[in-house]
């Protein structure tokens, strides 16, 4: 920070000029002296005192910034000890590691010493008594001194301040107390103006931030731990809190919220750094009303100021306290005056502040005035609700397999449960054999304490407060995490469980899963995970050929199961239910059963996903064509040039002709024999997946596809070659890492299994959209590197970054919403994660000498690693054709939640910096091209409105733009 030259504050300069014009101007001065001489001695004394006071005020105003400037310039030398008087706590801290939140109280402009006025002491005592034991309340800080020095100690005029402080105690009963103590208020008001000043504010605010930093460290705070902090400021303490916020956040890396009670706050502080500002205002408070008038950055015309931008992002909540004044009798701390509901003013303040600190926000409300969403329409179908499938209905293990070992329904804990639950609740629907007795039980699902896992959790855990854009988007019928609005520190499990209006999110858990069974000490069984749960559809799956409908127009079909012995569909015949799904708001059905028995994929069979209903019939919730997922290509293309040409020109060709069909194409850059090309893909191999879908046209065209250009949707994913047990053949097991904006269908950003994102008959896209999945296998990227006994691949690093981006998308970086725009969309932000992954790997190599030595000692892995680095360089060159990286990509800035309408021009400029990742199809083709040039083997899977026949819709390919 550069040191600032000393200038007279503008307000003081105006007052001084006015005084000089009125008093020193000769005609006015003569008139004044004539009037003064005619007065009696008493009035002359009063005027003399007023003049002395006025000059003292001017002098004090000129000196107000000097203490901070002196601290900054080092004028106090070695005698200054800023760690002295680090605040106090009334309740002893028994276990520092268990502290969940720190609260720092900053008093109003009447503070002269480390103690407070009686009404404030009463408020703090009662507040502390209401807080949980793991919340620490720190007080006894002097916010009106950059060096935490009270007015009553070690100052030339300490005797005056001590006398004024003493008289304050009697200010409710004696006029003299009010007049004398007013000089404390005047002095501290000047300090507040320094904090709000653009020139001196940064210096002063850094000093107060240093005091708070010392205070937190003295009581066990660990920088980087992520433990949240609440700054509770009364009157001028609100501005001091906001001024210190950016410095404190940068030093601690902590989530920080501010609660302002009657705060007088300027608009210069970077409120975007906040988790949230709760600003409580009394209707009879004249001082607080000065803030919106005196500070231009709070005027609405300065719409790009930090204050106004933060308000639009939902980071500032202004709430009325009712007929409450600023201080003294009738203030927010008065326990003798009462509201119409019977509560005292003090009780209201305690309820509001205590509720916010404890996570029970008083502002949680349901937005009832909104359009109905597709998700709410779909819920009208009973077959779309988890309760439709009793857990005690078993399936024949010869005909059906479980989708995963651990499966269940996520349940959002109640706010009062959060301190104990620490994650989400999980209703177990399927468990490994040794834990089958847990089926039907509700257990605690939480994150592992592994340091790497906790780093991820802390990086995406944020306070959640809906922005204006999120509220508006929700009113249009989009699904936002309404149940989480105004929650503190929402972690990734909570955001996954609470993203919908109901607890209907079905997931599977990936290994490793650690189990701690409930006992006398642990009241609830705990499942601990290290990876994000995968969203799924159905508990079991089978492989069938649909023979015919049982009755015309009905939802029951006769199906034949696959016989592993004969390799034909001559196995057990069974009646299954394929219910008619609910149409969306545009009248489009996501799937249909019309002529499904004669559809092109039916001869090779369908994987059907679901469970049995209460009558014992298997209900099909999702389908997958076996022809698409098995490792038997319809076509093989050899050579890198031919592969590039196919991706560019033939992937989406003849799309109307392809309606209802699947196509599997193997692109081999190195092999020239079909069997050798297929043999490159072995059981256990992994592949990076590039997913793009197109639009819905025809008579019932979706609204987004009614223009000449349709961009589509992009996502990364992962595929693994597995031996599917029902068919006893190699097949692709696919998961998508969906960086997906908030939408009307209730699709939640996260990791989605193929059977959920594509195959789900109600929520998926198999029956309505053309889909192209490009699977890429390049050993340098997909295979593990072994270092220090740890096995990890570049693909693992990418998945970590994608999961972090998904979690950020679910809560919009704390704003409650994400939107499609040029700077932020599925393609741009997915590739921001890719950029971060390659950057992280390069930094690891450059900064880790031991890793460089390891590469020298392991030539085979070193060759792969060098190929990986070359791939990374080429990808970054293509992502950033203008050479310079976007600032939000470089700094991993939390810039989600900004609607395209806000900063529209800037958003376009930012988006153009990475224009090749702006369009989904172009992004997919560009990334595929770079991998093919490195010799990767590629498998392309196409599905075009597959399932039953719907003559009202037609497929639309994503518009080809650029290469």
């Amino acid at each position: 920070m550069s040191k600032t030259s000393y200038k007279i504050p503008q307000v003081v300069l105006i007052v001084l000029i006015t005084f000089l014009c009125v008093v020193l101007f000769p005609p006015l001065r003569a008139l004044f002296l004539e009037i003064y001489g005619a007065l009696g001695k008493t009035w002359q004394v009063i005027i003399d005192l007023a003049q002395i006071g006025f000059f003292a005020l001017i002098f004090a105003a000129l000196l107000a910034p000097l203490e901070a400037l002196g601290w900054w310039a080092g004028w106090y030398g070695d005698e200054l000890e800023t760690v002295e008087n680090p605040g106090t706590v009334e309740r002893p801290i028994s276990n520092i590691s268990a502290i969940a939140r720190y609260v720092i109280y900053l008093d109003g402009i009447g503070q002269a010493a480390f103690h407070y006025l009686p009404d404030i002491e009463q408020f703090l005592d009662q507040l502390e008594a209401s807080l949980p034991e793991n919340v620490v309340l720190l007080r006894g800080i002097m916010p009106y001194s950059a060096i935490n020095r009270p007015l009553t100690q070690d100052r030339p005029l300490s005797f005056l301040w001590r006398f004024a402080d003493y008289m304050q105690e009697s200010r409710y009963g004696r006029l003299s107390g009010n007049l004398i103590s007013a000089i404390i208020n005047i002095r501290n008001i000047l300090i507040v103006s320094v904090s709000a000043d653009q020139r001196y504010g940064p210096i002063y605010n850094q000093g107060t931030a240093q005091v708070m930093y010392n205070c937190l460290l003295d009581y066990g705070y660990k920088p980087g731990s992520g433990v949240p902090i609440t700054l509770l400021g009364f009157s001028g303490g609100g501005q001091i809190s906001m001024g210190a916020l950016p410095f404190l956040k940068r030093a601690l890396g902590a989530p920080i919220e501010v609660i302002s009670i009657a705060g007088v706050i300027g608009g210069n502080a970077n409120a975007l750094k906040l988790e949230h500002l709760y600003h409580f205002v009394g209707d009879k408070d004249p001082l607080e009303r000065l803030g919106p008038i005196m500070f231009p950055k709070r005027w609405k015309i300065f719409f790009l100021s930090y204050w106004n931008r933060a308000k639009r992002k939902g980071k500032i909540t202004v709430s009325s306290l009712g007929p409450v004044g600023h201080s003294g009798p009738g203030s927010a701390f008065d326990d003798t005056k009462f509201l119409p509901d019977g509560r005292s003013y003090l009780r209201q303040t305690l309820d509001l502040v205590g509720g916010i600190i404890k996570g029970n926000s008083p502002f949680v409300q349901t937005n009832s005035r909104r359009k109905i969403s597709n998700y709410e329409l779909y819920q009208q179908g009973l077959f779309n609700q988890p309760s439709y499938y009793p857990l005690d209905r078993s399936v024949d293990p010869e005909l059906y397999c479980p989708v995963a070992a651990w499966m269940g329904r996520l349940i959002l804990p109640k706010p009062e449960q959060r301190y104990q639950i620490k994650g989400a609740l999980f209703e177990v629907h399927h468990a490994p054999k040794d834990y089958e007795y847990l089926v039907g039980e509700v257990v605690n699902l939480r994150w592992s304490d592994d340091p790497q896992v906790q780093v991820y959790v802390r990086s995406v855990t944020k306070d959640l407060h809906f922005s204006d854009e999120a509220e508006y988007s929700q009113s249009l019928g989009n699904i936002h995490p309404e149940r989480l609005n105004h929650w503190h520190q929402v972690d990734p499990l909570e955001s996954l469980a609470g993203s919908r209006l109901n607890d209907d999110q079905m997931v599977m858990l990936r290994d490793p899963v650690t189990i701690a069974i409930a006992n006398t000490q642990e009241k609830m069984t705990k499942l601990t995970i290290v990876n994000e749960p995968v969203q799924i559809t159905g508990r079991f799956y089978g492989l069938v050929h649909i023979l015919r409908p049982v009755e015309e127009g009905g939802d029951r079909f006769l199906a034949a199961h696959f016989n592993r012995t004969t390799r034909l569909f001559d196995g057990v015949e069974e009646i299954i239910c394929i219910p008619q799904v609910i149409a969306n708001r545009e009248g489009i059905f996501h799937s249909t059963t019309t002529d499904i028995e004669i559809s092109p994929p039916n001869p090779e069979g369908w994987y059907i996903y679901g469970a049995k209903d209460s009558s014992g019939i298997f209900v099909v919730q999702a389908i997958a064509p076996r022809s698409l997922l098995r490792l038997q290509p319809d076509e093989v293309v050899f050579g890198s040039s031919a592969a590039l040409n196919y991706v560019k020109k033939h992937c989406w060709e003849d799309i109307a002709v392809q309606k209802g069909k699947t196509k599997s194409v193997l692109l081999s850059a190195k092999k020239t024999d079909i069997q050798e090309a297929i043999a490159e893909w072995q059981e256990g191999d992994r592949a990076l997946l590039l997913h793009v879908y197109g639009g819905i046209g025809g008579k019932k065209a979706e609204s987004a596809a009614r223009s000449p250009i349709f961009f589509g949707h992009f996502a990364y994913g992962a595929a693994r070659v597995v031996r599917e047990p029902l068919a006893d053949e190699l097949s692709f097991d696919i998961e998508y890492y969906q960086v997906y904006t908030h939408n009307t269908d209730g699709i939640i950003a996260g990791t989605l299994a193929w059977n959920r994102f594509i195959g789900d008959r109600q929520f998926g896209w198999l029956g309505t959209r053309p889909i192209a999945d490009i699977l890429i296998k390049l050993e340098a990227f997909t295979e593990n590197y072994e270092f220090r006994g740890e096995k990890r691949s570049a693909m693992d690093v990418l998945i970590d970054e994608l999961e972090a981006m998904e979690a950020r998308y679910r809560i919009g970086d704390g704003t409650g919403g994400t939107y499609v725009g040029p700077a932020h969309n599925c393609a741009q932000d997915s590739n921001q994660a890719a950029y971060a992954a390659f950057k992280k790997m390069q930094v690891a190599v450059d900064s880790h000498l031991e890793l460089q030595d390891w590469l020298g000692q392991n030539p085979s892995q070193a060759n792969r690693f060098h190929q990986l680095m070359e791939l990374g360089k080429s990808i970054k060159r293509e992502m950033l054709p203008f050479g310079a990286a976007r600032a939000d990509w470089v700094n991993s800035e939390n810039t989600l939640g900004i609607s395209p309408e806000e900063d529209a021009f800037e958003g376009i400029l930012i988006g153009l910096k990475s224009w090749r990742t702006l369009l989904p199809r172009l992004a997919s083709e560009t990334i595929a091209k770079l991998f093919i040039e490195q010799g990767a083997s590629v498998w392309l899977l196409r599905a075009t409105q597959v399932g039953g026949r719907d003559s009202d819709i037609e497929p639309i390919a994503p518009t080809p733009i650029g290469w």
Side-chain angles (χ1 to χ4, degrees):
M1 184 189 303
S2 62
K3 298 183 179 180
T4 311
S5 61
Y6 186 75
K7 296 180 181 179
I8 300 174
Q10 291 179 356
V11 174
V12 176
L13 192 60
I14 292 171
V15 174
L16 183 58
I17 292 172
T18 302
F19 175 81
L20 292 174
C21 290
V22 173
V23 179
L24 300 182
F25 188 62
L28 293 178
R29 182 170 180 271
L31 178 62
F32 171 76
L33 292 176
E34 183 177 345
I35 296 173
Y36 178 79
L39 296 173
K41 291 294 185 182
T42 302
W43 282 104
Q44 287 180 356
V45 170
I46 292 174
I47 291 176
D48 289 342
L49 291 175
Q51 290 185 80
I52 293 171
F54 180 80
F55 281 110
L57 177 62
I58 298 297
F59 184 68
L62 295 173
L63 294 179
L66 286 183
E67 184 180 78
L69 290 172
W71 165 77
W72 178 254
W75 294 345
Y76 301 100
D78 296 334
E79 297 179 3
L80 177 63
E81 181 51 73
T82 59
V83 297
E84 290 182 354
N85 304 310
T88 60
V89 294
E90 296 298 313
R91 190 167 56 193
I93 302 174
S94 57
N95 184 5
I96 290 177
S97 62
I99 295 174
R101 181 175 291 271
Y102 286 82
V103 181
I104 301 178
Y105 175 72
L106 303 175
D107 199 22
I109 57 175
Q111 185 182 7
F114 291 130
H115 63 269
Y116 306 121
L117 294 172
D119 56 347
I120 301 297
E121 292 285 2
Q122 180 185 14
F123 163 69
L124 293 175
D125 289 342
Q126 293 187 31
L127 175 62
E128 187 159 41
S130 70
L131 297 178
E133 292 185 357
N134 57 0
V135 176
V136 176
L137 175 60
L138 301 171
R139 47 183 167 178
I141 289 177
M142 180 60 186
Y144 304 101
S145 169
I147 57 176
N148 198 30
R149 178 180 292 175
L151 301 182
T152 56
Q153 297 177 16
D154 302 323
R155 293 177 183 270
L157 298 178
S158 294
F159 71 93
L160 175 62
W161 300 121
R162 283 195 294 270
F163 178 66
D165 189 41
Y166 169 77
M167 296 303 293
Q168 266 196 132
E169 300 292 338
S170 60
R171 62 181 177 145
Y172 298 115
R174 287 181 287 179
L175 178 62
S176 60
N178 280 299
L179 292 175
I180 296 174
S181 63
I183 65 172
I184 296 177
N185 295 341
I186 293 172
R187 185 268 177 190
N188 287 343
I189 285 174
L190 293 172
I191 293 298
V192 172
S193 70
V194 171
S195 174
D197 191 272
Q198 285 183 303
R199 296 160 299 173
Y200 311 117
I203 296 174
Y204 183 85
N205 294 328
Q206 185 169 350
T208 55
Q210 181 69 56
V211 171
M212 287 182 250
Y213 179 87
N214 295 339
C215 176
L216 288 164
L217 264 59
D218 196 72
Y219 287 102
Y221 194 95
K222 295 181 179 179
S225 65
V227 176
I229 298 167
T230 298
L231 303 181
L232 174 58
F234 165 53
S235 186
Q239 167 58 39
I240 303 299
S241 298
M242 291 295 293
L245 165 75
F247 301 101
L248 202 57
K249 187 174 182 68
R250 184 172 61 192
L252 297 173
I256 303 175
E257 70 178 3
V258 174
I259 302 175
S260 164
I261 305 172
V264 180
I265 301 175
N268 291 326
N270 189 352
L272 296 173
K273 298 291 185 182
L274 275 169
E275 294 299 312
H276 200 71
L277 166 62
Y278 297 93
H279 187 44
F280 294 109
V281 181
D283 295 343
K284 296 183 178 180
D285 184 350
L287 290 182
E288 187 284 331
R289 298 180 189 280
L290 294 176
I293 298 172
M294 293 181 61
F295 300 109
K297 293 298 180 66
R298 289 184 59 177
W299 300 353
K300 291 184 179 180
I301 60 172
F302 295 102
F303 59 92
L304 291 180
S305 70
Y306 285 132
W307 178 273
N308 288 312
R309 289 168 63 193
K311 282 194 71 175
R312 289 195 298 273
K313 289 191 71 174
K315 287 183 172 290
I316 298 175
T317 299
V318 180
S319 181
S320 172
L321 292 172
V324 174
H326 188 80
S327 60
S331 74
F333 309 111
D334 192 339
D335 63 351
T336 64
K337 292 187 179 297
F338 297 88
L339 298 165
D341 62 8
R343 292 182 299 166
S344 69
Y345 292 180
L346 172 62
R347 172 46 53 192
Q348 174 186 234
T349 305
L350 287 166
D351 290 345
L352 291 171
V353 174
I356 292 170
I357 294 173
K358 290 182 285 188
N360 302 323
S361 173
F363 303 105
V364 175
Q365 58 184 1
T366 301
N367 184 353
S368 57
R369 299 183 62 185
R370 65 182 181 201
K371 294 181 181 178
I372 190 170
S373 64
N374 284 343
Y375 166 77
E376 290 165 302
L377 287 175
Y378 301 158
Q379 290 301 299
Q380 296 174 9
L382 295 178
F383 54 88
N384 287 324
Q385 301 176 16
S387 59
Y388 190 72
Y389 306 95
L391 296 178
D392 59 354
R393 296 295 187 269
S394 60
V395 295
D396 186 342
E398 291 297 316
L399 303 179
Y400 294 96
C401 290
V403 172
W406 286 103
M407 288 178 287
R409 178 170 67 97
L410 287 178
I411 301 173
L412 183 67
K414 294 180 174 60
E416 59 270 18
Q417 294 177 298
R418 296 182 70 208
Y419 283 117
Q420 291 75 35
I421 298 300
K422 293 183 179 178
L425 297 171
F426 182 69
E427 183 182 69
V428 181
H429 288 190
H430 190 275
K433 186 174 182 180
D434 292 343
Y435 300 100
E436 287 179 344
Y437 62 89
L438 289 175
V439 172
E441 297 290 326
V442 176
V443 302
N444 180 196
L445 184 66
R446 56 172 56 190
W447 294 105
S448 166
D449 291 330
D450 179 271
Q452 290 185 341
V453 175
Q454 287 302 308
V455 167
Y456 154 70
V457 172
R458 287 196 300 270
S459 70
V460 297
T461 297
K462 296 185 180 299
D463 289 2
L464 177 54
H465 302 277
F466 277 19
S467 65
D468 291 345
E469 288 84 358
E471 296 280 3
Y472 176 69
S473 174
Q474 186 171 250
S475 72
L476 298 178
N478 292 316
I479 299 300
H480 292 260
E482 181 178 317
R483 294 189 291 163
L484 301 173
N485 194 14
H486 297 298
W487 275 34
H488 279 144
Q489 296 298 281
V490 177
D491 81 10
L493 280 176
E494 291 176 327
S495 67
L496 189 58
S499 281
R500 285 182 175 161
L501 304 176
N502 305 299
D503 292 322
D504 57 3
Q505 187 75 282
M506 302 298 300
V507 298
M508 70 178 189
L509 308 181
R510 292 180 287 188
D511 287 334
V513 177
T514 305
I515 304 97
I517 303 299
N519 52 43
T520 54
Q521 293 181 338
E522 296 288 347
K523 303 302 181 183
M524 179 180 288
T525 296
K526 294 183 177 62
L527 301 183
T528 302
I529 57 175
V530 300
N531 298 304
E532 181 168 296
V534 180
Q535 300 170 48
I536 61 170
T537 294
R539 296 201 297 270
F540 303 97
Y541 74 94
L543 177 57
V544 302
H545 170 76
I546 297 175
L547 299 174
R548 61 182 180 276
V550 174
E551 57 184 27
E552 189 69 26
D555 62 4
R556 304 206 170 186
F557 292 79
L558 183 64
H561 284 268
F562 185 76
N563 185 331
R564 286 187 293 272
T565 303
T566 64
R567 309 293 301 169
L568 299 172
F569 288 96
D570 57 4
V572 174
E573 294 187 358
E574 178 186 15
I575 293 177
I576 58 176
C577 176
I578 312 179
Q580 176 59 54
V581 301
I582 309 295
N584 67 15
R585 295 188 304 188
E586 298 182 289
I588 300 172
F589 294 91
H590 275 229
S591 63
T592 177
T593 56
T594 303
D595 293 338
I596 192 171
E597 69 277 10
I598 60 173
S599 64
N602 191 47
E604 292 189 57
W606 304 92
Y607 287 105
I608 56 174
Y609 301 82
K612 287 188 175 181
D613 62 13
S614 57
S615 68
I617 191 169
F618 191 88
V619 179
V620 180
Q621 297 172 268
I623 60 173
R626 177 183 172 220
S627 59
L628 183 70
L629 300 180
R630 65 195 303 202
L631 267 71
Q632 292 189 17
D634 300 313
E635 183 179 351
V636 180
V637 175
F638 298 106
S640 58
S641 297
L644 289 170
N645 186 61
Y646 193 94
V647 169
K648 175 65 176 176
K649 297 183 179 179
H650 302 297
C651 177
W652 295 97
E653 70 178 355
D654 299 329
I655 192 167
V657 177
Q658 297 298 321
K659 181 178 178 180
K661 301 177 183 178
T662 66
K663 191 168 186 180
S664 175
V665 181
L666 177 58
L667 311 175
S668 179
K670 296 180 179 178
K671 303 297 182 181
T672 57
D673 177 79
I674 293 178
Q675 294 305 316
E676 288 182 358
I678 297 175
E680 277 192 291
W681 297 73
Q682 296 292 315
E683 183 176 357
D685 285 352
R686 300 171 72 198
L688 175 68
L689 182 144
L690 308 174
H691 163 80
V692 176
Y693 70 48
I696 306 169
K699 296 178 184 177
K700 291 184 177 179
E702 63 178 327
S703 55
R706 290 169 187 163
S707 64
I709 298 176
F710 185 85
F711 294 125
H713 168 72
F714 173 90
Y716 281 107
R720 184 182 293 276
V721 179
V722 299
R723 182 158 294 277
E724 196 286 299
L726 292 178
D728 190 25
E729 64 187 10
L730 296 182
S731 180
F732 288 118
D733 180 24
I734 293 173
E735 295 174 354
Y736 299 98
Y737 296 93
Q738 288 293 346
V739 176
Y740 214 90
T741 58
H742 293 90
N743 56 89
T744 185
D745 294 297
I747 298 173
I748 305 304
T751 307
L752 283 76
W754 196 97
N755 60 50
R756 179 61 179 179
F757 186 70
I758 303 296
D760 191 293
R761 299 187 60 255
Q762 183 66 81
F763 294 89
W765 303 115
L766 181 65
T768 54
R769 295 190 182 279
I771 296 156
D773 286 343
I774 300 176
L775 282 60
I776 301 170
K777 191 169 80 75
L778 180 68
E779 287 188 2
F781 185 83
T782 56
E783 297 301 314
N784 287 328
Y785 296 88
E786 187 170 355
F787 177 65
R788 286 184 175 175
E790 181 181 356
K791 294 182 178 180
R792 194 162 175 76
S793 69
M795 188 166 167
D796 293 327
V797 180
L798 172 59
I799 289 173
D800 288 347
E801 296 296 329
L802 288 168
E803 288 186 344
M805 185 64 74
E806 294 163 0
R808 290 177 57 195
Y809 252 63
R810 287 198 289 270
I811 60 174
D813 276 345
T815 68
T818 50
Y819 318 93
V820 176
H824 293 289
N825 53 58
C826 57
Q828 291 274 36
D829 291 322
S830 293
N831 283 293
Q832 179 184 351
Y835 174 88
F838 279 106
K839 179 183 175 183
K840 184 176 291 186
M841 288 182 286
Q842 185 62 59
V843 169
V845 174
D846 294 341
S847 61
H848 207 308
L849 295 178
E850 190 175 349
L851 181 59
Q852 296 178 30
D853 293 339
W854 168 80
L855 289 173
Q857 298 168 8
N858 295 270
S860 60
Q861 296 196 64
N863 290 335
R864 287 196 292 126
F865 195 84
H866 291 315
Q867 184 184 19
L868 176 65
M869 290 297 101
E870 287 301 314
L871 174 66
K873 291 176 183 178
S874 62
I875 287 179
K876 284 191 282 187
R877 280 196 301 269
E878 292 292 325
M879 285 182 178
L880 305 165
F882 299 111
R886 289 170 44 170
D888 55 336
W889 286 23
V890 173
N891 303 319
S892 301
E893 294 175 354
N894 294 330
T895 55
L896 302 179
I898 300 176
S899 69
E901 289 78 15
E902 182 176 354
D903 297 332
F905 182 70
E906 182 181 357
I908 293 173
L909 292 180
I910 292 173
L912 289 176
K913 286 186 178 180
S914 51
W915 68 272
R916 285 199 180 96
T917 63
L918 177 62
L919 306 176
R921 178 171 173 178
L922 178 60
S924 174
E925 293 174 352
T926 299
I927 300 298
K929 166 179 170 285
L930 298 175
F931 272 91
I932 290 172
E933 289 174 346
Q934 291 290 332
S937 180
V938 174
W939 209 302
L940 195 152
L941 306 179
R942 281 280 315 279
T944 308
Q945 295 180 340
V946 170
R949 177 180 53 82
D950 188 344
S951 58
D952 289 331
I953 61 173
E954 297 294 335
I956 297 177
T959 304
I961 299 176
W963 170 253

